[in-house]
Amino acid sequence: MALDFFPRLRCFVATSSLILWGIDAQADPAHAIAMYGVPALPADFTSLPYVNAEAPKGGTITLGNTGGFDSLNPFVRKGTSPWQLPFFTHETLMGRSWDEPFTLYGLLAESVETDEDRTWVEFTLREGTTFSDGSPLTVDDVIFSFELLGTEGHPRYISLYQQIESLTQTGPRSLRITFNEANRELALLAGMRPILSKAQWEGREFADAPVQDIPIGSGPYTITGYETGRYVELTRNPDYWGADIPYRKGTNNFDRVKLDFYGDSKVLFEGFKAGEISAVREFNAESWQTQYDFPAITRGDIVKSEIPHSKPSGMTGFVMNTRRAPFDDWRVRDALIKAFNFEYINDTLTGNAQPRITSYFSNSVLGYQEGPAQGRVAELLLPYQDTLPNGTLEGYSLPVSDGSARNRAGIRAAMEQFEAAGYMVKDGILRRGDGTAVSFTILIAKGSTEEIAIAELYLRALERLGISASIETVDDAQYFARTGDFDFDITTFRRALSLSPGNEQKFYWGTEAAEQKGSRNLMGARNHAIDAMINEMLGARDSADFVAATRALDRVLTAGRYVIPFWSYTEGRIAHVHEMKYPAYLPIYGDGAQWMPEVWWWDENN
């Protein structure tokens, strides 16, 4: 087992024997909880290892977003809100460490307690926790938030609530959550639910509240100004209750953070060059090399930082909606993948500087291994062999072209698959068996310039197959509404994945989520082998079984051919004004985007 591939994951493996021998690492109230083993930091830790505990407070930064927003409530499906808001304004009972696969430390809660099988979890709130309006944050607020989000909130909150048997106050500052099914991750997920103010929302509409309503949170920042669709200004709360707790030490250092919105990434980049934005993240390696040579960089006013990480690749690409024909046929999806000339597109748009994503968990120990399934992975998959996608057990890999523009071999292989699925070309048009022409659209949000460029190159290949395909661009509000309703043929797809996949996998590609509007199962995956592998993952009691189950899941997803993958991002590329600093110690989730600007600070002198 090559788990030492990530040195700081060793505690994830070495301490798992505590669980195997039945030693209850969480039998008493503790300062933290880990999915496997024990937390890396002791109860008396003073700050997270990847922060500058002495970071100065001050400075104002502006971050850029593309598109727009029409809501300031990130907890409901209605409207489009800035994605960063909940991280600035709201908090959870426990906070995640980005230097461990999945460990939570006390935030609103000072302690956590659970039984060996994690059938229940109990949290005790810290004394003095308050909302930004000065009102106390109590157990009542916590219970109310679980119930409100679980019944009227965004669909992502529903699954956990459905697995809760009871929410019971057990003391002036404590509550117990009892679960109705065996799932070891639920105790941690409960610790990550955002807490809202009962006084603000009790007796009011929530799911259909006016989009301008600003939820009151307990976080370090408050919204102090905004103009719908254009900007949001956040100011650090001078009376923030948690400024001195260990988990918050050295974090949230900027006095003000402004979120500006631009029509597309090109306009945003021009704003950055003009000094209107403090930092940008660059995903294109060739652009990083060729477009960051403007005067501000030459003068040293802007710094280019390359920040490596050890995260799985996740999946980025064009996702096909299997709820619609012809994408419900795996052979059609396979043909469309074969027609995608990755090597040529990668060379054209990035200078061939970025490797292709090869699976959902590639670039990590959790990614499936090439060749036939073996060992425990094969054991897990064999009971479902009759329903597995072609190539799951035998081994599946993405096609590789010769890099030429025409990609003759890829087009020929794609046509062979179309013919096997009953399609034929007549009068230069690819037709179904009933003679109707094959046509579809690729839905892309306005401002997604890279995805549009990829799609334009892809359409040339589809033309050679006799397929009439087009690009449809819509604003952010329409895009999120359309994808939330699964109203698309093919669309852009980005699913970041962690070293500790868990219950969210059900929401990403579980059978129940396939028809649940607003879920993230955009491809409409409905395969009981996927459900089973997720359950195996969630029920794993040691790291070996967990890794095997994740690798098996990775096989089923990849062989399902749901997504046409693009390139992976093995490091974060962030250009920023020289006054913005970040710690020298990099956590395993270390590409900078995960913790910018949370652990960054402003320093004009160095």
Side-chain angles (χ1 to χ4, degrees), residues 49-375:
Y50 50 89
V51 306
N52 173 9
E54 304 303 321
K57 304 292 184 184
T60 297
I61 63 170
T62 300
L63 304 177
N65 287 2
T66 58
F69 68 94
D70 59 8
S71 171
L72 295 172
N73 187 343
F75 306 111
V76 295
R77 187 178 166 195
K78 180 180 180 181
T80 302
S81 65
W83 66 267
Q84 301 101 323
L85 280 189
F87 305 104
F88 286 113
T89 62
H90 285 70
E91 293 179 310
T92 52
L93 296 169
M94 311 288 288
R96 188 164 188 168
S97 168
W98 297 117
D99 202 38
E100 300 173 58
F102 195 8
T103 298
L104 305 180
Y105 292 89
L107 182 49
L108 289 170
E110 67 180 11
S111 68
V112 57
E113 181 180 1
T114 185
D115 63 326
E116 183 178 353
D117 292 327
R118 296 187 178 174
T119 60
W120 57 266
V121 64
E122 186 162 321
F123 299 99
T124 300
L125 295 178
R126 296 181 190 274
E127 291 190 23
T129 55
T130 65
F131 289 106
S132 60
D133 64 355
S135 62
L137 188 154
T138 67
V139 172
D140 253 3
D141 294 298
V142 176
I143 294 175
F144 174 80
S145 297
F146 272 82
E147 293 173 343
L148 180 67
L149 292 172
T151 55
E152 299 183 47
H154 192 279
R156 62 177 169 266
Y157 300 119
I158 294 175
S159 178
L160 174 64
Y161 188 69
Q162 291 176 337
Q163 297 174 87
I164 292 176
E165 180 70 30
S166 62
L167 292 147
T168 308
Q169 182 162 354
T170 55
R173 292 185 289 116
S174 61
L175 75 151
R176 174 172 291 200
I177 303 172
T178 303
F179 305 109
N180 58 26
E181 63 177 74
N183 185 329
R184 295 182 54 77
E185 193 187 31
L186 296 180
L188 283 81
L189 295 183
M192 297 175 68
R193 272 294 170 269
I195 305 304
L196 285 72
S197 166
K198 180 178 180 179
Q200 179 183 22
W201 294 110
E202 188 175 32
R204 292 189 54 205
E205 290 289 340
F206 184 65
D208 294 317
V211 293
Q212 291 80 15
D213 279 11
I214 303 173
I216 296 172
S218 64
Y221 288 87
T222 58
I223 296 174
T224 51
Y226 73 92
E227 184 175 336
T228 302
R230 295 192 61 187
Y231 74 87
V232 177
E233 184 180 76
L234 298 125
T235 300
R236 187 162 53 84
N237 182 2
D239 301 317
Y240 171 53
W241 73 271
D244 296 322
I245 66 171
Y247 183 80
R248 286 302 199 196
K249 194 75 171 177
T251 69
N252 303 298
N253 301 308
F254 298 107
D255 282 344
R256 279 177 295 280
V257 179
K258 187 180 180 187
L259 307 177
D260 272 353
F261 288 77
Y262 293 81
D264 59 45
S265 57
K266 289 183 178 179
V267 180
L268 187 155
F269 186 61
E270 290 303 316
F272 175 61
K273 291 167 64 177
E276 297 171 1
I277 299 175
S278 306
V280 297
R281 187 180 185 194
E282 179 57 62
F283 291 96
N284 188 292
E286 184 175 45
S287 296
W288 184 250
Q289 295 300 324
T290 61
Q291 296 184 22
Y292 288 76
D293 57 357
F294 46 90
I297 288 182
T298 305
R299 294 193 305 267
D301 296 339
I302 291 177
V303 178
K304 292 171 65 178
S305 294
E306 297 180 356
I307 308 173
H309 67 82
S310 300
K311 298 186 297 184
S313 63
M315 183 54 70
T316 301
F318 288 140
V319 63
M320 295 171 272
N321 188 354
T322 64
R323 303 170 189 84
R324 296 181 174 182
F327 312 107
D328 54 345
D329 188 327
W330 75 269
R331 295 166 299 185
V332 170
R333 302 196 298 272
D334 189 60
L336 293 173
I337 291 173
K338 285 178 163 63
F340 187 82
N341 191 354
F342 173 78
E343 286 68 29
Y344 174 73
I345 293 173
N346 190 28
D347 184 55
T348 302
L349 298 182
T350 78
N352 207 28
Q354 294 176 197
R356 191 176 197 181
I357 291 172
T358 56
S359 76
Y360 291 68
F361 291 92
S362 59
N363 190 50
S364 80
V365 70
L366 302 178
Y368 85 83
Q369 298 175 311
E370 292 184 3
Q374 297 180 351

Side-chain angles (χ1 to χ4, degrees), residues 379-539:
E379 290 177 12
L380 291 170
L381 292 172
L382 279 171
Y384 304 92
Q385 59 183 322
D386 293 339
T387 60
L388 292 174
N390 186 277
T392 304
L393 289 170
E394 306 89 337
Y396 167 74
S397 58
L398 293 167
V400 178
S401 77
D402 61 6
S404 64
R406 295 197 63 81
N407 186 27
R408 296 179 188 277
I411 295 297
R412 185 166 54 250
M415 185 56 70
E416 290 173 357
Q417 278 291 56
F418 274 121
E419 289 173 352
Y423 294 74
M424 66 182 68
V425 175
K426 185 177 181 181
D427 300 326
I429 298 173
L430 185 68
R431 301 180 185 276
R432 299 179 176 87
D434 62 4
T436 57
V438 175
S439 65
F440 54 80
T441 61
I442 301 176
L443 180 69
I444 303 178
K446 287 181 179 177
S448 303
T449 53
E450 185 171 73
E451 289 84 353
I452 291 172
I454 294 170
E456 288 173 343
L457 291 172
Y458 186 34
L459 292 189
R460 298 178 193 175
L462 296 177
E463 287 175 3
R464 291 197 288 275
L465 286 166
I467 295 174
S468 174
S470 61
I471 300 168
E472 181 182 4
T473 58
V474 296
D475 62 32
D476 280 5
Q478 292 183 71
Y479 180 79
F480 288 114
R482 293 267 304 270
T483 54
D485 287 335
F486 310 130
D487 180 18
F488 64 90
D489 296 326
I490 294 178
T491 192
T492 52
F493 187 82
R494 171 62 182 154
R495 196 67 72 239
L497 297 173
S498 75
L499 291 164
S500 57
N503 275 269
E504 79 285 347
Q505 304 296 298
K506 295 180 178 180
F507 196 59
Y508 290 173
W509 21 73
T511 298
E512 288 187 12
E515 301 303 329
Q516 181 184 350
K517 296 294 180 68
S519 86
R520 303 188 77 183
N521 186 351
L522 295 188
M523 64 272 288
R526 285 161 290 195
N527 189 308
H528 292 302
I530 291 177
D531 301 330
M533 295 310 106
I534 294 173
N535 288 334
E536 289 287 347
M537 245 175 26
L538 298 176

